[in-house]
Amino acid sequence: EKDVTLAIARRLRGQLQKRNQRVAMVRDGDQRVGLDQRAAMANAMHPLLYLVVHAGGPGTGVRIYTTLFNGTGGYGSFVPWEWAQAGFTDRSRMIAGSILQELKKLQVPAVQLSVPVRQHHNVAAAAVVIEVAPHDSAAGSHQHASDQWPGAQAGAADHPTCRPTGRGRPAD
């Protein structure tokens, strides 16, 4: 899985950079980076978008996840670490919806879901998890599905919520 997700992330980085988007990856090799460390690294970069790439299990196509948090957080200047994502859920869902639309244009089977996504509870930015399922139910067959989707995510980076507004820069 780590080789598949890293290959997808690198291809996506290339697509985004071709569109003049600045991209930083919290993992660009075979090193292990914990969830809290990833969030701290991302938060230090002040990203406009935190995108997690995951190779999924059974099924086909792509699943796009955002957190279940609702509302803006309402904590003022102090936000508990485990609620950092709360103020960004609307933006995250809008971006996820744009990614879903782009995938559908490419006729890639995709679904958008809101679930308790631990990977980005601590990220103070719009955050989306992209999970690529194998093309068929055979183990290790992520290649075909992963070949179909990176351009779609790059297209979603043109969504107005991903454009620089003076706060931060796009990050992966």
Side-chain angles (χ1 to χ4, degrees):
E1 176 191 0
K2 65 182 176 184
D3 295 331
V4 171
T5 58
L6 191 55
I8 291 170
R10 286 176 175 161
R11 287 183 60 209
L12 178 56
R13 175 181 57 192
Q15 291 291 320
L16 290 167
Q17 288 173 335
K18 285 179 186 176
R19 293 172 179 259
N20 295 318
Q21 298 289 324
R22 287 184 289 180
V23 178
M25 294 177 57
V26 297
R27 185 177 77 84
D28 194 16
D30 193 15
Q31 70 273 26
R32 180 157 173 76
V33 182
L35 296 179
D36 285 343
Q37 186 180 2
R38 291 177 193 203
M41 292 168 67
N43 289 340
M45 291 184 252
H46 304 287
L48 295 175
L49 174 63
Y50 179 75
L51 184 65
V52 176
V53 178
H54 179 68
T60 59
V62 177
R63 293 179 282 268
I64 306 161
Y65 299 106
T66 58
T67 191
L68 280 173
F69 287 136
N70 288 315
T72 59
Y75 292 101
S77 61
F78 175 77
V79 177
W81 177 250
E82 63 276 4
W83 284 86
Q85 180 56 205
F88 298 92
T89 54
D90 290 342
R91 178 184 250 182
S92 299
R93 289 177 185 146
M94 286 185 351
I95 293 169
S98 294
I99 293 169
L100 180 66
Q101 289 173 3
E102 292 296 320
L103 288 168
K104 290 194 181 275
K105 286 180 190 175
L106 294 172
Q107 299 181 345
V108 175
V111 63
Q112 180 180 342
L113 304 162
S114 291
V115 297
V117 181
R118 170 64 178 100
Q119 285 95 323
H120 55 77
H121 281 190
N122 309 45
V123 176
V128 176
V129 175
I130 304 293
E131 182 179 65
V132 179
H135 180 61
D136 56 37
S137 58
S141 64
H142 285 91
Q143 181 137 10
H144 182 72
S146 66
D147 286 342
Q148 296 181 47
W149 69 273
Q153 274 68 12
D158 289 331
H159 190 280
T161 60
C162 287
R163 292 188 189 132
T165 59
R167 182 198 178 279
R169 59 182 182 257
D172 177 327

